[in-house]
Amino acid sequence: MSGNIVRSSLVDAKPNWKAATVSFKVLEEAFGPSSLGILIVRDLPHQFVELRRSLLSYASYLANLPSDILDSLSLPEANFLTGWSHGKEALKDGSFDTHKGSFYVNCSDFYHRSDGLENRDRAQSKYPEFTASNVWPVEAILPGFRQCFEELCSLVIDIAALVAKACDDYAEANIEDYEPGYLERVVRTSTTTKARLLHYFPPEVSENIDQSRMNISTDGTNEIKEENLDSWCSTHIDHDCLTGLTSAAFIDESTHPPQGPSSQGPTSASSYSPLPFLQESPDPDSGLYIRSRLGTITKVSIPSDCLGFQTGESLQLITNGKFKAVPHFVRAGKIAANGSRIARNTLAVFTQPGLDEVVDRSSGKTYAQFSHEVSERFKG
């Protein structure tokens, strides 16, 4: 089963897609001991495609704003884990990652706006990466950005809750002392869920990849024989419970520069338009790779009208390893011979336990303590 990408559909539940379920069989194929560790959900609500197209275009507009505007969107007091962050994350060799820029958003501010939960953990000021208020570009610079971001993230969380319910059903039947409904409760009520809009800058000549390191098998599985290919985003596991991922958008920023009339982004609603996406990366070897449960490394392509879901380290701790976190990385493309500058944009939504929830029963460690340790690790 290793190397197989498992798909599930919401179509059977239409018109009420919120009643969709994932079968035990599909869930085990996606997340079981011999799985690749990712579930692709297709037949999403109709608004998903346009929201994705808009938000992943905004990622390029945002990353190309003048540095003084980006600096105003950075929050060092939140450990650069709210707002704009670039060059703050330590890589495995100790250097700081300048290959990508990130815009972090605390989803509780809008997802729980109507039920009052958004302020539940604000008093815990010692964890500002989760309790800081979001910072947004002014509407005049990126018109519609905030609304699009909030709408897409809310949709991803709603769909994540359907996957979470299926995980709960499976865990209750197979894991001793599993708290009934745990993961769905986390997804629906947590005030720590965080979204990360990522812009991978076009590779520079000095960053070109040694293609001799890549050796793709010829048996049709796309399993990779070599390691140390994590040139755009180093190998890591997410430390949440369940991560929702859009497919990546590839944009040629040499042909379609993401700038408004004043070089400060689109300055009015009429001046903003989504950027054209390439059908695929010009370099077929670039993109997202996952290390499967059996240790093989496989390139994963999420279709543009689908979402991918993978499990994180918190759920691994909570379930005593029954659900494994998924090691993954992103490999940069080659420098285009024609001078094209290819950027890669994507969105990840991390559904996480509440700050006071115990994730490691043996030590009594809470999610706040665990996550803070992880944050310190990546700060170098």
Side-chain angles (χ1 to χ4, degrees), residues 245-306:
L245 301 166
T246 68
S247 66
F250 294 92
I251 299 169
D252 184 353
E253 293 187 352
S254 63
T255 304
H256 303 285
Q259 295 179 336
S262 65
S263 298
Q264 294 188 3
T267 54
S268 69
S270 61
S271 69
Y272 168 77
S273 60
L275 298 166
F277 294 169
L278 301 176
Q279 291 280 350
E280 58 187 11
S281 171
D283 180 359
D285 292 336
S286 70
L288 174 66
Y289 288 82
I290 284 177
R291 182 187 293 278
S292 77
R293 310 296 199 230
L294 299 182
T296 56
I297 299 175
T298 302
K299 185 176 186 293
V300 174
S301 295
I302 302 171
S304 61
D305 59 350
C306 296

Side-chain angles (χ1 to χ4, degrees), residues 74-336:
S74 298
L75 292 181
E77 64 270 26
N79 298 320
F80 298 99
L81 291 174
T82 301
W84 175 252
S85 177
H86 179 229
K88 308 301 180 184
E89 183 179 330
L91 298 174
K92 60 186 179 182
D93 64 357
S95 63
F96 287 91
D97 181 8
T98 58
H99 301 302
K100 63 181 179 290
S102 301
F103 191 78
Y104 291 97
V105 166
N106 293 321
C107 296
S108 178
D109 276 6
F110 52 88
Y111 193 73
H112 292 300
R113 191 175 287 149
S114 63
D115 59 22
L117 290 177
E118 74 272 20
N119 294 316
R120 185 176 64 188
D121 289 325
R122 283 278 160 79
Q124 300 203 46
S125 57
K126 64 187 293 187
Y127 302 110
E129 56 266 36
F130 296 116
T131 59
S133 296
N134 290 322
V135 56
W136 298 98
V138 297
E139 188 73 7
I141 291 177
L142 284 183
F145 172 66
R146 177 176 180 173
Q147 179 179 347
C148 180
F149 205 123
E150 293 183 353
E151 288 183 7
L152 182 54
C153 288
S154 295
L155 184 59
V156 174
I157 295 170
D158 284 342
I159 296 168
L162 303 178
V163 178
K165 184 179 186 305
C167 290
D168 283 332
D169 292 342
Y170 178 84
E172 289 168 34
N174 291 277
I175 300 174
E176 185 177 357
D177 296 328
Y178 185 83
E179 178 187 327
Y182 172 82
L183 187 55
E184 184 183 11
R185 175 176 63 79
V186 165
V187 173
R188 292 194 185 279
T189 68
S190 175
T191 60
T192 66
T193 291
K194 188 177 288 286
R196 184 181 190 182
L197 181 64
L198 293 125
H199 174 78
Y200 295 85
F201 292 95
E204 303 296 338
V205 174
S206 61
E207 300 169 1
N208 205 359
I209 310 303
D210 178 4
Q211 299 304 303
S212 65
R213 295 185 300 169
M214 176 64 86
N215 180 16
I216 300 180
S217 68
T218 58
D219 59 6
T221 64
N222 282 343
E223 291 182 355
I224 308 306
K225 309 295 186 182
E226 297 291 333
E227 299 184 23
N228 300 319
L229 300 173
D230 47 355
S231 50
W232 234 343
C233 177
S234 60
T235 302
H236 66 286
I237 56 177
D238 298 334
H239 62 278
D240 61 343
C241 284
L242 193 65
T243 304
L245 301 166
T246 68
S247 66
F250 294 92
I251 299 169
D252 184 353
E253 293 187 352
S254 63
T255 304
H256 303 285
Q259 295 179 336
S262 65
S263 298
Q264 294 188 3
T267 54
S268 69
S270 61
S271 69
Y272 168 77
S273 60
L275 298 166
F277 294 169
L278 301 176
Q279 291 280 350
E280 58 187 11
S281 171
D283 180 359
D285 292 336
S286 70
L288 174 66
Y289 288 82
I290 284 177
R291 182 187 293 278
S292 77
R293 310 296 199 230
L294 299 182
T296 56
I297 299 175
T298 302
K299 185 176 186 293
V300 174
S301 295
I302 302 171
S304 61
D305 59 350
C306 296
L307 280 168
F309 289 94
Q310 59 189 32
T311 48
E313 192 175 3
S314 289
L315 193 61
Q316 177 175 304
L317 286 170
I318 291 160
T319 61
N320 294 319
K322 294 297 192 299
F323 284 111
K324 299 287 188 184
V326 181
H328 54 284
F329 63 87
V330 178
R331 181 176 187 265
K334 294 179 289 188
I335 303 299

Side-chain angles (χ1 to χ4, degrees), residues 10 13 15-21 155 158 162 188:
L10 299 186
N16 184 16
W17 61 267
K18 292 187 178 182
T21 60
L155 184 59
D158 284 342
L162 303 178
R188 292 194 185 279

